Amino acid sequence: MQQVIIDCDPGIDDALALEFAIKSKELEVLAITVVAGNAPVDIGVENTFKVLERCDRLDIPVYRGAEIPLERPNVSAQDTHGMDGFGESGIVRQSKVQPQKETAEEFLTNFFSEKRDVGILALGPLTNIALAIQLNPKLGQNIQRFVTMGGTYKSHGNCSPVAEYNYWCDPDAAKMVYESLGSTIEMVGLDVTREIVFSPAILEYCRRINPEAYEYLRKLTRFYFDFHWQYEHLLGCVINDPLAVACYISSEICNGFDSYVEVETQGISIGQTLVDRYDFWQKEPNARILETVDTKEFFTQFLTVLLDAPEATIASDLNLLKLG
Ligand code: RIB
Ligand code: CA
């Protein structure tokens, strides 16, 4: 079982990713740090508690992080995730549990002040991570792994022709992390996450296997389905963050290559990840860029956990469904 700290900006796909990670038998989620991104940070904290309550894991500590990016004003993605960051689903929480007193960056700095067999799974803008590196420059050497949902190599952007939201929202933080983390970054970018389409057929399949989970998923994703139809004429929704969880659980679910990556922080292509695959700049690789994904294996793992169903059932049923 791998121990992990999740930094996130819940957000609909973050919420699915958190439930996947928390309920997975392969991961132990030690703590959750929240960053402004899809929604303001306090809404992200609230949504984190909604997921912990659903998973009956309010024992997992939550740390409130950055309200704004390092340099730029925060541009939320509430047009995509709803004003409540939870698909305007009406899903609320009963508990009154509050975040810890330490800020996210203080927690990350202190926790990784020494080497740990614990990794970080970053599902939002990298502001908290960058702030922690500023406080503790050795952070990168003390973590076991760093997996980030963000960036894109060949796939078009989702915030501009070339930029993916997490790195576009806080390009200065992303640049700092890629320049100074000091350990290999596993970049789960749009090249692979765009293959992960939670479709109406898959949602209908959920209804057959676990009606309670279906009802929750239907409420949570309706807004996201509407956004994808309106802006991409896609039936269903791309669930980016759960793929980063799956990559953390079993890295072979995606294939890729090592490369030097730089993040643009200025001008028309701000937030773009420049992947120097053919080594023009002659710099040591700082990242592993994931380029292909086993979509069926992802949905087998994801639905087994979220529907609390036997893996063999899900695996054989998925042969009947058209995925992606
Ligand atoms: O670009 C997709 C990413 O931005 C996902 O992590 C989504 O939750 C948003 O944070
Ligand atoms: Ca996210």
Side-chain angles (χ1 to χ4, degrees):
M1 181 177 263
Q2 299 185 67
Q3 295 186 321
V4 66
I5 288 166
I6 300 180
D7 187 72
C8 54
D9 62 330
I12 294 166
D13 58 331
D14 300 71
L16 295 173
L18 285 175
E19 183 170 351
F20 183 19
I22 291 163
K23 289 182 174 177
S24 166
K25 295 181 175 54
E26 313 296 325
L27 290 180
E28 183 183 357
V29 179
L30 299 182
I32 296 169
T33 54
V34 185
V35 64
N38 285 324
V41 69
D42 288 320
I43 292 179
V45 167
E46 191 60 21
N47 291 336
T48 300
F49 283 120
K50 290 176 188 173
V51 177
L52 291 181
E53 194 167 75
R54 173 174 171 77
C55 300
D56 194 20
R57 288 300 313 275
L58 286 165
D59 57 294
I60 296 175
V62 176
Y63 295 87
R64 181 184 185 276
E67 297 177 355
I68 55 171
L70 293 189
E71 307 287 339
R72 288 159 48 92
N74 188 46
V75 178
S76 85
Q78 287 166 290
D79 61 334
T80 310
H81 295 263
M83 289 312 289
D84 66 350
F86 227 64
E88 293 178 10
S89 56
I91 297 170
V92 294
R93 65 159 170 145
Q94 305 309 318
S95 73
K96 297 288 172 244
V97 178
Q98 291 304 308
Q100 304 295 308
K101 294 237 175 313
E102 265 180 309
T103 64
E105 60 269 26
E106 287 165 347
F107 164 71
L108 290 168
T109 298
N110 298 335
F111 186 84
F112 289 109
S113 57
E114 57 188 12
K115 253 192 188 327
R116 299 265 191 170
D117 287 341
V118 180
I120 296 177
L121 175 55
L123 306 177
L126 296 178
T127 318
N128 288 342
I129 313 302
L131 290 170
I133 292 174
Q134 285 175 344
L135 292 169
N136 172 11
K138 290 195 177 342
L139 181 130
Q141 298 153 35
N142 292 341
I143 58 177
Q144 187 182 50
R145 285 176 74 188
F146 186 77
V147 177
T148 162
M149 190 280 134
T152 192
Y153 169 46
K154 285 184 174 172
S155 186
H156 60 280
N158 59 9
C159 280
S160 81
V162 293
E164 174 280 327
Y165 175 78
N166 286 334
Y167 296 0
W168 174 86
C169 178
D170 194 345
D172 303 281
K175 179 180 177 64
M176 178 192 284
V177 171
Y178 275 79
E179 278 178 354
S180 49
L181 184 69
S183 63
T184 299
I185 293 165
E186 297 165 67
M187 187 184 106
V188 184
L190 295 177
D191 306 279
V192 286
T193 66
R194 276 211 165 96
E195 299 301 310
I196 307 301
V197 179
F198 189 70
S199 67
I202 293 174
L203 185 58
E204 179 58 22
Y205 172 70
C206 294
R207 189 163 72 89
R208 307 288 172 188
I209 303 297
N210 183 327
E212 186 282 330
Y214 159 78
E215 197 47 38
Y216 172 78
L217 293 168
R218 181 189 63 79
K219 277 192 274 185
L220 183 62
T221 58
R222 168 49 49 207
F223 194 97
Y224 212 28
F225 271 48
D226 293 345
F227 174 86
H228 280 79
W229 177 252
Q230 186 178 352
Y231 290 94
E232 301 192 21
H233 243 49
L234 179 75
L235 268 183
C237 58
V238 173
I239 52 172
N240 306 280
D241 294 337
L243 180 59
V245 173
C247 289
Y248 202 104
I249 291 169
S250 42
S251 50
E252 61 277 5
I253 207 164
C254 286
N255 281 315
F257 58 93
D258 293 344
S259 174
Y260 175 73
V261 179
E262 201 156 315
V263 181
E264 179 56 79
T265 57
Q266 307 290 330
I268 192 171
S269 56
I270 188 169
Q272 182 179 15
T273 37
L274 291 104
V275 177
D276 187 15
R277 181 167 198 175
Y278 300 100
D279 203 15
F280 286 96
W281 295 328
Q282 300 281 297
K283 292 202 173 178
E284 279 302 304
N286 55 354
R288 182 152 183 75
I289 310 304
L290 300 171
E291 199 179 17
T292 59
V293 52
D294 181 341
T295 308
K296 180 173 177 293
E297 183 56 26
F298 166 78
F299 276 107
T300 300
Q301 299 309 321
F302 178 65
L303 295 176
T304 297
V305 172
L306 259 76
L307 303 180
D308 189 20
E311 183 172 343
T313 305
I314 301 289
S316 76
D317 288 348
L318 286 185
N319 289 324
L320 312 173
L321 285 178
K322 191 179 171 324
L323 296 175

